[in-house]
Amino acid sequence: MTESHLSDLSDVTKPVSLARGLPNAHYIDEEVFKEERQSVLFDNWAGVGFAHDVPNEGDAMPVDFLGMPLLLVRDAEGNVNVYQNTCRHRGMILVKEKGNIRGTIRCPYHSWCYGLDGALRSTPHVGGPGQNIHEDIKRNELGLFEIRSHVYLGVVFVNVSGTADDFTVAHSELLERWKEFDKPLYHHEDGAFVLEVDSNWKLAVENYSESYHLPWVHPGLNTVSRLEDHYHLEEQYKYSGQGSVVYQQLKGEDGQTFPDFKDLTDKWDTASEYATLYPNVMFGVHRDHSYAIILEPVGVNKTREHVALYYASDEAVGDAYKKLRVTNADFWEEVFKEDIFVVEGMQKGRHGVFFDGGKFSPAMDGPTHIFHEWVATQINNGRAKMAAE
Ligand code: FES
Ligand SMILES: [Fe+2]
């Protein structure tokens, strides 16, 4: 990173009434994108996939996370493990496509094989033809590189750098706030879709953080849950978003509704909440379903939104609820699509050289501002680390 790319972030971390947003370079500049890759996405807990992407023992899914090759694997105990998808021998990519690897992860180059636990199990001909061992090849030292991971509300989070606090410590506040939803979740493939957006991933978070745009961008939603029904979620340095005191369950033609999560407190009879767990996972929780949106930063100005809906019981993902589930998925897809033009419009707006990060409304943009403040703080931490090295 050259000196000229080191943006001045001192205005971003000021109190909301004095602050500006992140400079344009944080949305359009490849060098800054690389800087954020490390200090914002790799140094924290980022979402890279869904646990239901690898439902059965031996299921594996490769993920290219900003160029870092990862492999999600379901092990024999039912846990999801994440490894670097690189063979310890000559660095070949191990798994190219999603599928079941039937017990071992076999490198297609010289056939070294790894267990679902990442341990190096066999090394054919490594000591010469017919010799499957060699004294210099210490299998116990050559397991796959494991990446720290944690599953929360269906999402597989990773901390690539290995330096973040444990997930449950780093995110104790949201875990506490939403502990009533931290239960087994049920997913059906009809509750999944992907949206492509021509914008930097942060603009999706910023738009998701506020309800201010509701009357103009989501007129339909606004008739059910109005702007004045919303409240802010602001946990500095952790998460932000908004909630609504009005949530009406979706009803089928015959009055059918989805079953509720068990043992919810009264608040959730009518409330729903929407928050981004920094950096890149946007959640929504309601009495009868939740969803997660993983923002995959494909490039500085390109983002893929992976959306998955979850229900409270096995019954809700059965045939009897098919129609209602499809209606629900269509509803959310429509809402999220309504946001695309503003997110893409803000991306275009950031090529305007006189834009100065903008002005936050202290009344309406608090949750957006604390996201900017958090990003700026991560970048400053990364720069401090670089300077100390
Ligand atoms: S590179 Fe994987 S076995 Fe040689
Ligand atoms: Fe929106």
Side-chain angles (χ1 to χ4, degrees):
M1 166 128 317
T2 57
E3 272 302 303
S4 63
H5 281 97
L6 294 180
S7 46
D8 178 6
L9 300 174
S10 53
D11 282 341
V12 182
T13 52
K14 285 179 178 163
V16 61
S17 52
L18 302 171
R20 286 202 196 127
L22 290 159
N24 286 353
H26 290 258
Y27 302 86
I28 62 176
D29 187 304
E30 295 285 351
E31 286 294 313
V32 177
F33 183 65
K34 273 189 214 150
E35 187 185 20
E36 291 189 354
R37 170 189 192 254
Q38 184 62 47
S39 54
V40 178
L41 291 144
F42 284 5
D43 285 353
N44 290 288
W45 287 98
V48 294
F50 298 109
H52 66 251
D53 287 328
V54 286
N56 304 309
E57 180 182 339
D59 284 349
M61 183 176 78
V63 172
D64 178 336
F65 181 46
L66 291 134
M68 173 79 176
L70 301 176
L71 183 65
L72 275 54
V73 180
R74 178 81 62 173
D75 71 14
E77 280 77 50
N79 299 314
V80 179
N81 299 327
V82 181
Y83 304 109
Q84 183 172 291
N85 191 12
T86 308
C87 182
R88 294 294 306 270
H89 178 218
R90 303 303 314 133
M92 176 69 184
I93 284 289
L94 288 166
V95 178
K96 265 177 68 183
E97 277 166 16
K98 183 174 167 176
N100 191 282
I101 50 172
R102 293 192 203 90
T104 54
I105 304 164
R106 189 183 71 80
C107 179
Y109 198 177
H110 313 94
S111 232
W112 285 23
C113 290
Y114 304 85
L116 301 181
D117 58 357
L120 179 58
R121 294 257 192 272
S122 61
T123 48
H125 309 305
V126 77
Q131 297 295 320
N132 296 339
I133 51 170
H134 186 285
E135 60 181 2
D136 290 343
I137 309 296
K138 299 190 171 47
R139 286 188 193 165
N140 61 348
E141 293 173 5
L142 292 167
L144 296 179
F145 290 111
E146 183 159 7
I147 308 295
R148 291 173 86 201
S149 63
H150 186 91
V151 176
Y152 175 61
L153 297 186
V155 175
V156 181
F157 287 85
V158 300
N159 169 225
V160 174
S161 70
T163 55
D165 287 339
D166 280 350
F167 185 92
T168 52
V169 174
H171 291 305
S172 56
E173 296 86 356
L174 192 70
L175 266 60
E176 175 61 27
R177 180 180 196 102
W178 286 353
K179 58 177 187 268
E180 295 172 89
F181 296 96
D182 199 356
K183 295 175 174 157
L185 297 173
Y186 298 83
H187 173 77
H188 189 285
E189 60 186 10
D190 56 25
F193 53 94
V194 176
L195 301 173
E196 307 271 347
V197 187
D198 288 330
S199 86
N200 184 273
W201 66 276
K202 295 191 297 299
L203 291 172
V205 175
E206 296 172 25
N207 174 61
Y208 195 73
S209 301
E210 46 105 333
S211 52
Y212 188 8
H213 66 278
L214 197 68
W216 306 286
V217 178
H218 308 292
L221 201 57
N222 191 51
T223 58
V224 190
S225 169
R226 301 157 308 160
L227 184 58
E228 51 269 49
D229 297 326
H230 286 75
Y231 55 91
H232 294 175
L233 306 182
E234 295 176 289
E235 187 72 42
Q236 203 180 19
Y237 303 127
K238 297 298 172 74
Y239 68 83
S240 61
Q242 21 113 13
S244 169
V245 293
V246 179
Y247 172 63
Q248 291 174 10
Q249 284 187 286
L250 183 66
K251 274 199 173 68
E253 287 158 12
D254 48 1
Q256 184 188 38
T257 54
F258 292 117
D260 286 338
F261 287 99
K262 294 237 166 356
D263 307 321
L264 293 182
T265 43
D266 296 349
K267 165 183 171 176
W268 299 106
D269 287 353
T270 54
S272 57
E273 290 191 341
Y274 309 92
T276 304
L277 197 55
Y278 301 162
N280 71 326
V281 181
M282 313 194 298
F283 287 114
V285 296
H286 321 80
R287 57 188 283 180
D288 56 0
H289 73 286
S290 67
Y291 65 74
I293 308 172
I294 300 173
L295 299 172
E296 179 191 350
V298 181
V300 65
N301 55 9
K302 224 174 200 357
T303 302
R304 203 167 286 137
E305 302 186 354
H306 301 263
V307 185
L309 271 61
Y310 296 96
Y311 295 95
S313 70
D314 211 14
E315 190 195 352
V317 292
D319 286 348
Y321 285 91
K322 173 97 188 158
K323 206 168 164 204
L324 202 60
R325 277 199 315 274
V326 170
T327 307
N328 198 29
D330 287 349
F331 167 78
W332 283 118
E333 189 167 356
E334 211 39 58
V335 171
F336 300 147
K337 278 184 175 164
E338 287 172 349
D339 284 311
I340 291 179
F341 89 96
V342 281
V343 172
E344 292 185 342
M346 285 194 287
Q347 178 70 25
K348 288 206 179 84
R350 273 158 178 75
H351 288 275
V353 293
F354 300 121
F355 186 67
D356 57 0
K359 186 75 192 152
F360 296 110
S361 156
M364 305 305 278
D365 295 323
T368 315
H369 168 249
I370 73 161
F371 174 65
H372 282 250
E373 186 186 21
W374 177 80
V375 171
T377 306
Q378 301 314 297
I379 292 167
N380 285 336
N381 290 348
R383 287 176 185 172
K385 247 192 261 170
M386 290 282 278
E389 272 166 14

